C-alpha cells in the first residue's frame, strides 16, 4: 500500500510537469489527475496505521496542492473564457465533482451559470456539490474534535454527518465519506464510558490513564470467538466412483465426528455444512456439488464470524498446486475433475469473516510450504501486522503423506463407537476437547490458537510414528494473530499487586510510544504529530512492556503493544537508513558534476541498497549511467579518429555494457571493428602468399594470404578451342583479401573434425592425402561445424571459395592457361593428373599430360610445386567444390566486384581437375558442375577464411 501511495504521488508530479509544459493538454489530463488524486487519498487513509503514515500524508498533501494548482492554472489558460461553452464548463465540473475536488467543481459551475443563469443541469450540480461540501466539513469537524480530545462534540458531529449523508443526492464519494464517519463514530464509542472509572476487578476490567485521556481497556476475553458465530464447512470422501482411486476407511467418518464435536462446543447445526460419502446422494462430495455449496457458504459469511473449512480425503499435486479429490474424480482429467485447494483458500481469504481457517487432511507435495519443526515450535513468527487471522493448516509437509489408523484396545479414542481416524483429524478432535483439553498446557483453562496448532502438530507426528511408524509433519501458513480459541474461565494465578505493577509498566510504555488503545486496536495518540519518538525512547518503551510481559505473559494487550513498539523501532531504523541513503545520493550528485562516474555509481548504489524502491535514486543512477556512456562514446570516437583502436574498443565496451541495446553504441562498435579489419587488410596485403598456421580441431593447417586485386576471368574470345561456358572473358575485382588453405583438406583434418574417413584412397599412411568421396552437402556441414566450434580466429569465418576467388587464387597473377604457363609439357612436377603412367587399370588415357606423376590415384597434399601464392594442388589431385551455383550466363550479367554466383541453381561449380583429369580440365579456366549430393574418389575441397561480415 505504501508503495502504491508513493507511485501515485510520483504520477501526480509527472502530470503536473507535463501540464506546465503543454497547457493545451490540461483539459484531457485533468480527468487522469482527478482519478489519481482520488486513489491517493483513498490509499493514504488505508495505511493510516503504518508508523510512517504522517510523513507520507504530509508530503502527499503538499504534492497534491501543488499539482492541483498546476492543473487549475493549466485548465484556466487552456479553456479560456472567450471560447469555452457551457457544456465544457459543466463537463469539467462533473469530472472534478466525481473526483472529490469540490472547490474546483463549484467554480466551474459558477462560470457555467454566469453564461446561462437558468441552466437546470448546472443548478442541480451546484446543489449536489453544496451537499457534498457540507458533508465533508462535518466529517472534517469530527476528525478535528476527535484529535483534540473533544469526544462528545466529535460524536455529535459524527451522528449529524451520518444523518445528513442519507439525504445527500448520490454521488461517487458519498459512500466513502459516510463509511469514514461511521468508522469514527464506532471508534468514539470506545470512549463512551470514559468517565465511568470504578473498580472492575471482578469483571476482569482494568483502568489505565494516559497523558491526554483515560482509556478503558476491555478484558482479554474480547479476543475469544463465541461459538455461536462459528460457521463450519466439512467435506469427507472415503469412497470414489472411479475404481482406480483407492478407497479410504475413515475420511467420511472423520468429517461426521468433527460435526458432532463442534455441536458439543455450542456451534449451531444450522451453521454447519457437511458433504460426505457416508450420507445420501444429495450430500455426496462431487466436484460440482462441492463448488456450489462452498460458494454459498462463502457468500453467507459475515463480519465478526469465524469460518472453518475441513477437507478429508485423497489429495495430489499438479504443477506445485495442491488439489483435493472429490468423489467423482477422474484420473484421465486430473485438473478438470479435482478441486483446487489454492482457489478454495483464496475464496476463504476474500470472504467477510474475521477469522478464517482451512484444515486439510490429505496427502500433498507442496515445495512452497514450510513444515513446522515440532521439537521447537515458535508460533510468534505467525503474528501478522494487522488484527486478523487467515490460515491454511495442512496435515503433512512437502513430500509427505497423510495416514489413517484403526483404534486398538490400548489406543486413546476421541469418542466411543469410532473404529479409526486420520492422524491429523484425531489430533484436531483432541485439541477441541470440551473439558481437560490436553492442548491447554499452561492449565489456564483457555486454549489459544497457537496452543491448538502446537498441540495438533506434535500429536499428529506422535500418532503417525506410533501407529504407522512413519513421518507426518503438519504445516501451517498464513497471517495469524493469537486469540482464545476455546475459553472456559479467565486466566488466574496472578496477584492483584503484580497485575497493578504490570499495568503501570504498560501505561508507561503507552506514554513513551505515543499510542493509545481503542477497543482491540492500537493507534497513535497524536494523529497530527510531525515527529515520532526517537529510537532511545522507543527502546525504553520496549523495556517497560517487556517487564509487564514477564508478569503476565498471556496478556494480549501487552503482546500487541510490544509488536507495535517493535514495528516503530523498525521505522526508526528506516529513518536512519533514509538519512544515510540521502547522504549517499547527495554525494553521488557532487561526484557526477566532477565527472567521477564510478564514484557516483558507487554512492548511488549505496543509496539504493538502503531504499531500493526510491524513484529519485533510481533516476539518479540512470542519469549517471547515461552520462558515463555518453562520455565513453565520445572518447571512443576521438580514439577512432586517432586510429587508437584499443582505446576506442575499450571505451565503447563501457557504453555497450551500460546500455547493451543502444543501436548507436552498437553501430560505433561495428565501425571500430571494421576499421581494425581494414587496417589489418592494409598491412597484410604487402605480403601476398604470407603463410600462417591455424589450429583446427588439434590439427595444424597452413593458410596463405590472398590479397585483394583484379584479374581477367575466363577465356578470351580469340581462343577457339575454349568451351563456351568459359566465355566471354571479363574483368573481376576481389575487393577484400582472404586466407586460403595451402592444400586441399586432408583426411587427417576431416577425421579429427567428423570422426570418420569417407575416402576411397586410404590406409594407415594416408592421413596426409586429400579427403575425397565427399558431396557438396558434406562439405557444407563440415564448414558449419568448424564455425560453430569457434575454430576461426576473431573476425573471420570458414567458407568454401567463390568461383571468382578460386580462379583469382589459382592464377596467382598469371594470365596463362596454367599457372606455370601455356605449355602443357612445362607442367611436370606441378600436378597429379592424367599422364603417361596410365589409368588405374593399366590402360592409357585418351588425353594426358606428356610426363609421369608416378601415381595412379591421389597423392599426398603439398607434394607438387605450388603457384606464386604458395598454393599446392590447385590443379590435379582432386577436383574442388566451390560455393557457387553454376550459371552459364552469370558472368555475362553478374557483378564484376566480389561476385558470389547465382542466387539459385541446380548444380554446384567444381574447379581444378583431379588425378584422372587431362590438360583440357586440369587448368585455371575450366568450369565443371555437379549435383550437391554427388560424391566420387576424384572430388574434394579446400577451405577459406573470409571476414565474418561477408555473406
Amino acid at each position: 500500500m505504501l508503495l502504491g501511495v508513493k507511485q501515485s504521488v510520483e504520477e501526480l508530479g509527472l502530470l503536473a510537469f507535463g501540464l506546465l509544459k503543454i497547457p493545451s493538454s490540461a483539459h484531457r489530463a485533468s480527468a487522469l489527475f482527478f482519478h489519481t488524486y482520488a486513489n491517493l487519498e483513498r490509499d493514504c487513509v488505508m495505511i493510516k496505521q503504518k508508523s510512517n503514515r504522517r510523513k507520507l500524508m504530509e508530503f502527499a498533501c503538499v504534492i497534491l496542492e501543488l499539482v492541483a494548482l498546476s492543473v487549475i492554472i493549466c485548465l484556466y489558460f487552456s479553456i479560456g473564457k472567450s471560447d469555452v461553452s457551457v457544456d465544457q464548463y459543466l463537463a469539467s465540473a462533473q469530472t472534478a465533482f466525481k473526483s472529490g475536488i469540490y472547490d474546483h467543481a463549484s467554480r466551474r459551475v459558477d462560470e457555467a451559470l454566469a453564461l446561462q443563469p437558468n441552466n437546470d443541469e448546472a443548478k442541480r450540480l451546484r446543489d449536489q456539490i453544496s451537499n457534498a461540501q457540507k458533508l465533508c466539513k462535518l466529517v472534517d469537524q469530527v476528525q478535528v474534535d476527535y484529535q483534540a480530545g473533544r469526544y462528545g462534540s466529535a460524536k455529535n458531529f459524527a451522528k449529524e454527518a451520518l444523518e445528513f449523508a442519507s439525504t445527500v443526492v448520490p454521488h461517487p464519494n458519498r459512500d466513502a465519506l459516510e463509511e469514514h464517519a461511521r468508522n469514527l463514530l464506532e471508534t468514539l464509542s470506545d470512549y463512551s464510558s470514559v468517565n465511568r472509572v470504578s473498580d472492575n476487578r471482578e469483571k476482569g476490567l482494568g483502568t489505565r490513564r494516559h497523558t491526554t485521556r483515560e482509556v478503558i481497556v476491555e478484558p482479554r476475553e474480547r479476543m475469544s470467538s463465541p461459538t455461536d458465530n462459528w460457521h463450519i464447512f466439512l467435506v469427507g470422501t472415503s469412497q470414489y466412483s472411479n475404481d482406480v482411486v483407492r478407497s479410504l476407511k475413515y475420511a467420511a467418518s472423520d468429517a461426521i465426528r468433527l460435526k458432532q464435536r463442534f455441536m458439543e462446543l455450542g456451534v449451531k447445526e444450522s451453521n454447519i455444512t457437511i458433504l460426505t460419502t457416508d450420507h445420501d446422494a444429495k450430500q455426496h462430495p462431487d466436484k460440482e456439488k462441492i463448488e456450489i455449496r462452498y460458494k454459498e457458504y462463502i457468500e453467507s459469511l459475515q463480519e465478526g464470524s469465524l469460518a472453518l473449512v475441513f477437507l478429508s480425503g485423497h489429495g495430489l499435486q499438479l504443477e506445485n498446486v495442491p488439489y483435493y479429490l472429490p468423489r467423482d474424480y477422474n484420473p484421465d482429467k486430473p485438473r478438470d475433475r479435482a478441486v483446487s485447494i489454492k482457489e478454495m483458500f483464496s475464496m476463504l481469504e476474500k470472504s467477510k469473516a474475521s477469522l478464517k481457517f482451512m484444515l486439510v487432511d490429505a496427502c500433498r507435495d507442496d515445495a512452497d510450504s514450510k513444515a513446522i519443526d515440532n521439537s521447537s515450535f515458535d508460533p510468534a513468527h505467525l503474528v501478522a501486522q494487522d488484527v486478523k487471522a487467515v490460515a491454511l493448516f495442512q496435515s503433512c509437509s512437502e513430500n509427505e503423506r497423510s495416514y489413517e489408523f484403526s483404534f486398538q484396545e490400548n489406543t486413546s479414542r476421541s469418542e466411543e463407537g469410532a473404529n479409526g481416524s486420520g492422524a491429523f483429524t484425531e489430533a484436531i478432535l483432541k485439541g477441541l476437547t470440551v473439558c481437560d483439553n490436553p492442548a491447554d498446557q499452561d492449565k489456564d483453562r483457555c486454549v489459544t490458537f497457537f496452543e491448538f496448532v502446537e498441540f495438533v502438530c506434535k500429536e499428529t507426528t506422535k500418532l503417525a510414528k506410533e501407529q504407522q511408524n512413519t513421518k507426518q509433519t503438519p504445516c501451517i501458513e498464513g497471517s495469524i494473530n493469537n486469540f482464545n480459541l476455546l475459553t472456559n474461565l479467565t486466566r488466574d494465578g496472578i496477584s492483584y499487586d503484580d497485575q497493578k505493577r504490570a499495568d503501570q509498566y504498560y501505561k508507561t510504555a503507552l506514554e513513551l510510544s505515543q499510542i493509545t488503545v481503542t477497543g482491540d486496536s492500537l493507534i497513535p495518540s497524536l494523529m497530527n504529530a510531525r515527529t515520532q519518538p526517537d529510537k532511545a525512547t522507543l527502546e525504553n518503551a520496549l523495556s517497560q512492556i517487556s517487564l509487564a510481559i514477564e508478569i503476565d505473559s498471556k496478556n494480549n494487550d501487552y503482546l500487541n503493544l510490544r509488536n507495535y513498539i517493535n514495528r516503530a523501532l523498525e521505522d526508526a531504523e528506516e529513518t536512519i537508513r533514509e538519512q544515510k541513503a540521502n547522504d549517499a545520493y547527495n554525494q553521488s550528485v557532487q561526484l557526477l558534476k566532477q565527472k567521477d562516474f564510478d564514484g557516483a555509481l558507487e554512492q548511488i548504489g549505496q543509496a539504493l541498497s538502503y531504499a531500493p524502491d526510491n524513484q529519485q535514486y533510481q533516476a539518479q543512477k540512470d542519469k549517471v549511467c547515461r552520462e558515463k556512456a555518453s562520455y565513453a562514446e565520445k572518447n571512443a570516437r576521438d580514439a577512432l579518429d586517432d586510429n587508437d583502436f584499443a582505446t576506442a574498443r575499450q571505451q565503447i565496451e563501457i557504453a555497450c555494457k551500460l546500455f547493451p541495446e543502444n543501436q548507436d553504441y552498437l553501430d560505433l562498435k561495428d565501425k571500430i571493428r571494421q576499421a581494425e579489419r581494414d587496417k589489418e587488410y592494409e598491412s597484410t596485403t604487402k605480403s601476398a602468399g604470407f603463410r600462417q598456421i591455424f589450429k583446427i580441431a588439434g590439427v595444424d593447417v597452413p593458410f596463405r594470404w590472398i590479397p585483394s586485386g583484379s584479374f581477367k576471368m575466363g577465356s578470351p574470345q580469340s581462343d577457339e578451342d575454349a568451351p563456351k561456358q568459359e566465355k566471354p572473358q571479363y574483368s573481376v575485382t576481389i575487393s577484400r583479401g582472404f586466407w586460403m588453405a595451402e592444400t586441399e583438406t586432408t583426411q587427417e583434418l576431416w577425421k579429427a573434425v567428423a570422426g570418420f574417413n569417407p575416402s576411397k584412397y586410404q590406409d594407415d599412411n594416408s592421413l596426409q592425402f586429400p579427403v575425397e568421396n565427399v558431396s557438396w552437402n558434406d562439405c557444407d556441414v563440415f564448414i558449419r561445424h568448424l564455425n560453430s566450434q569457434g575454430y576461426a580466429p576473431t573476425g573471420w569465418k570458414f567458407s568454401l571459395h567463390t568461383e571468382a576467388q578460386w580462379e583469382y587464387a589459382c592464377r596467382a597473377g598469371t594470365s596463362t592457361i596454367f599457372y606455370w604457363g601455356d605449355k602443357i609439357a612445362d607442367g611436370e612436377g606441378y600436378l597429379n593428373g592424367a599422364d603417361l603412367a596410365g589409368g588405374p587399370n593399366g590402360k592409357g588415357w585418351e588425353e594426358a599430360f606428356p610426363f609421369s606423376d608416378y601415381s595412379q590415384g591421389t597423392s599426398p597434399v603439398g607434394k607438387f610445386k605450388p603457384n606464386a601464392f604458395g598454393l599446392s594442388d590447385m590443379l590435379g589431385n582432386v577436383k574442388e567444390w566451390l560455393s557457387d551455383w553454376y550459371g552459364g550466363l552469370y558472368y555475362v550479367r553478374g557483378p564484376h566486384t566480389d561476385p558470389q554466383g547465382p542466387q539459385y541453381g541446380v548444380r554446384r561449380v567444381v574447379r581444378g581437375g583431379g588425378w584422372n583429369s587431362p590438360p583440357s580440365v586440369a587448368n585455371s579456366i575450366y568450369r565443371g558442375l555437379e549435383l550437391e549430393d554427388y560424391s566420387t574418389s576424384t572430388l574434394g575441397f579446400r577451405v577459406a577464411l573470409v571476414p565474418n561480415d561477408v555473406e
Side-chain angles (χ1 to χ4, degrees), residues 62-135:
V62 173
I63 293 296
L64 289 172
E65 291 173 1
L66 292 175
V67 179
L69 180 61
S70 302
V71 173
I72 293 171
I73 292 173
C74 294
L75 287 171
Y76 181 84
F77 285 105
S78 64
I79 293 175
K81 293 183 174 53
S82 60
D83 56 353
V84 178
S85 67
V86 172
D87 291 339
Q88 289 176 314
Y89 280 128
L90 291 179
S92 177
Q94 191 69 38
T95 301
F97 174 63
K98 290 180 179 180
S99 300
I101 307 181
Y102 303 123
D103 291 338
H104 177 71
S106 180
R107 286 194 294 273
R108 296 286 81 80
V109 170
D110 291 340
E111 290 168 346
L113 288 172
L115 295 177
Q116 290 185 5
N118 296 323
N119 189 297
D120 293 336
E121 183 181 356
K123 291 180 180 180
R124 179 179 56 79
L125 184 57
R126 180 184 59 186
D127 293 339
Q128 292 180 354
I129 295 171
S130 177
N131 289 335
Q133 288 176 316
K134 181 178 179 180
L135 180 58

Side-chain angles (χ1 to χ4, degrees), residues 456-474:
V456 171
C457 290
K458 290 183 177 180
E459 184 68 14
T460 301
T461 304
K462 174 184 175 184
L463 288 172
K465 182 65 176 177
E466 290 177 351
Q467 302 299 327
Q468 298 290 338
N469 193 27
T470 188
K471 180 181 179 182
Q472 181 178 338
T473 312

Side-chain angles (χ1 to χ4, degrees), residues 824-825 833-839 844-851 916-920:
I824 298 176
D835 58 5
L836 295 179
W845 303 102
E846 294 182 1
E847 179 187 358
F849 287 93
F851 48 78
N916 61 347
S917 298
S920 60

Side-chain angles (χ1 to χ4, degrees), residues 47-64:
I47 65 160
K48 67 180 182 180
Q49 296 298 331
K50 300 296 182 181
S51 59
N52 58 352
R53 82 196 189 294
R54 294 189 296 273
K55 292 183 178 180
L56 181 59
M57 292 177 68
E58 280 181 26
F59 178 60
C61 289
V62 173
I63 293 296
L64 289 172

Side-chain angles (χ1 to χ4, degrees), residues 218-231:
E218 299 178 8
R220 290 183 66 240
E221 285 72 34
R222 68 175 183 269
M223 292 298 293
S224 50
S225 303
T227 56
D228 57 353
N229 285 329
W230 287 21
H231 294 265

Side-chain angles (χ1 to χ4, degrees), residues 644-706:
D644 184 357
F645 301 124
T647 301
R649 187 170 59 252
Q650 179 190 30
Q651 291 296 311
I652 198 58
E653 285 293 344
I654 293 174
C656 288
K657 185 176 181 180
L658 291 170
F659 297 98
E661 297 181 359
N662 186 294
Q663 193 58 47
D664 292 338
Y665 299 161
L666 294 175
D667 291 344
L668 180 57
K669 185 177 181 179
D670 290 340
K671 186 176 180 181
I672 293 171
R673 288 175 177 173
Q674 184 62 47
E676 285 184 291
R677 285 195 293 267
D678 292 344
K679 190 70 175 179
E680 181 181 356
Y681 301 152
E682 180 181 348
S683 61
T684 309
T685 53
K686 296 179 181 178
S687 54
F690 175 78
R691 193 172 192 262
Q692 176 72 44
I693 302 294
F694 294 103
K695 188 175 289 293
I696 305 174
V699 178
D700 290 337
V701 181
F703 281 77
R704 295 286 183 166
W705 175 250
I706 311 301

Side-chain angles (χ1 to χ4, degrees), residues 374-417:
N374 297 313
S375 61
S376 59
F377 175 71
D378 180 14
H381 75 282
L382 294 173
V383 178
Q385 298 294 329
D386 301 319
V387 180
K388 61 182 179 180
V390 181
L392 173 61
F393 196 9
Q394 301 186 79
S395 61
C396 57
S397 299
E398 59 181 274
N399 299 320
E400 289 185 3
R401 299 182 61 188
S402 294
Y403 294 93
E404 55 183 12
F405 61 94
S406 301
F407 291 141
Q408 305 297 328
E409 290 299 327
N410 58 350
T411 302
S412 175
R413 304 186 183 188
S414 291
E415 59 186 59
E416 293 298 327

